[in-house]
Amino acid sequence: MYTQAMDTMAREGAGKLERVLSADEQVLQERFDARIDAGDFIEAKDWMPDNYRKTLLRQISQHAHSEIVGMLPEGNWIGRAPTLKRKAILLAKVQDEGGHGLYLYAAAETLGTSRDQMVDALHSGKAKYSSIFNYPTLTWADIGTIGWLVDGAAIMNQVPICRCSYAPYARAMIRICREESFHQRQGYDSLLVMMQGGTDAQRAMVQDAVNRWWWPCLMMFGPPDDQSPNSAQGMRWGIKRVSNDTLRQKFVDATVQQAQVLGVTLPDPDLKWNAEREHWDFGTIDWDEFWRVVGGEGPCNRERLEKRVKAWDDGEWVREAAMAHANKQAMKEAA
Amino acid sequence: MSDAKNEWPLWEVFVRTKAGLDHKHCGSLHAADPKMAVQMARDVYTRRQEGSSVWVVRSDQIVASDPGDKDMFFDPAEDKVYRHPTFYKLPDAVDHM
């Protein structure tokens, strides 16, 4: 979901093309541009401009980090799922997120950076993950709401990336999108159970969760188009296919009716149908909050990263032991 | 801080979706040894019964054609249209052969 990397580049001073190209490189660059214009896919071993590689590496690795960190808010509820059925579903979903992280790390590795380098970048705070995972999951209704809204926003955002010009990323995204639909539907389904068969307190719990997640979900699509300076280059390269505001509008339009069917309201007094535009108008997003959360000051930034680093450190002896065992077996076989 | 030398080796994963079909490349993963690679391939790439058989191959063992030589390597087949059945115009009465 989780492709804010390009949007935060400008603020982090990344993504400037400073180097002057040699004559040979200029020819390669022209050929590359022509291939992009023709809608061709770029494969790992093909020539590509440095900045294309850098931008992709940034986006794919941060996307991978988001999937992995995204396991934490939901994993938090596996032990407390209300029924065995919900627990099995949640386990499957969290396992999927882990799988999605792995597909994406593998795609990023084809660009010439090792898995360990990427993990180090996440753990040192150098690399970011999606802002959405820095919000807490306070009740069981948060889990359903994450499936419905967070994964719903993710799908909206990810479907166009299946046509990304960088083929290994596009292939990973196709696989991910195929699996993601289950995530959204199981979330909505679990909320529906509470809204239709639950107590007043449970219904209030669902409404409360929706109230807390709605705005952060709208922020997931990234800053408005006029404040997203790297979008144009991303579009030119076929990395980004649809603009932030277009995707956000599409998400709002799709969600309004789902909220009505569910029986919850969306926490926005300015939400109303605009017959002229044939879209839902919505209120102003608090971008100061977005940038605070991206900058590390969200409710859970510290906790998420601490948990991630601890899991990695605690697993170190296992990774070492597995490697030592493999080396021993290999030596035995060679002898 | 992790050391790149300690990273588990990379494996390419090939999955046969069902009996009768080819194994098809579907991605890669890191694993310490062959047995672990097969088990992880199962968990990462066949969580929804996408496969009935899995192959894993160490990535550094794969020999591939050079993308830089793509034209030189594959173009010789380009002007050999007579290798295709459609090259031959036969009388209508027998053209379905």
Side-chain angles (χ1 to χ4, degrees), chain A residues 82-133:
Chain A
T83 65
L84 186 57
K85 174 183 141 187
R86 292 290 166 198
K87 187 176 188 155
I89 292 170
L90 188 55
L91 265 172
K93 179 177 190 296
V94 173
Q95 193 190 14
D96 273 356
E97 308 295 3
H100 296 176
L102 294 180
Y103 306 154
L104 290 162
Y105 278 132
E109 281 172 84
T110 63
L111 292 162
T113 299
S114 77
R115 178 80 57 93
D116 280 357
Q117 282 173 311
M118 287 187 267
V119 170
D120 281 342
L122 172 68
H123 292 178
S124 68
K126 205 178 131 227
K128 299 277 191 284
Y129 51 87
S130 174
S131 56
I132 196 74
F133 299 119

Side-chain angles (χ1 to χ4, degrees), chain B residues 1-91:
Chain B
M1 191 57 61
S2 34
D3 178 349
K5 285 190 298 274
N6 288 332
E7 204 173 83
W8 286 349
L10 192 66
W11 304 73
E12 298 304 317
V13 179
F14 300 81
V15 171
R16 184 205 295 281
T17 48
K18 60 180 186 200
L21 297 181
D22 296 331
H23 283 79
K24 203 175 146 205
H25 182 247
C26 71
S28 46
L29 53 79
H30 289 273
D33 60 40
K35 194 174 155 200
M36 185 194 276
V38 168
Q39 280 176 354
M40 287 176 59
R42 193 263 322 258
D43 291 342
V44 178
Y45 291 104
T46 66
R47 287 192 301 281
R48 290 175 177 76
Q49 294 185 295
E50 291 95 336
S52 62
S53 163
V54 173
W55 289 348
V56 293
V57 183
R58 278 279 295 256
S59 305
D60 56 13
Q61 296 294 309
I62 288 185
V63 181
S65 62
D66 183 345
D69 292 343
K70 192 172 82 168
D71 297 345
M72 193 173 72
F73 201 69
F74 294 105
D75 281 359
E78 196 179 63
D79 57 359
K80 297 177 179 58
V81 281
Y82 46 84
R83 288 180 175 174
H84 298 275
T86 45
F87 179 70
Y88 303 93
K89 270 269 157 282
L90 300 185

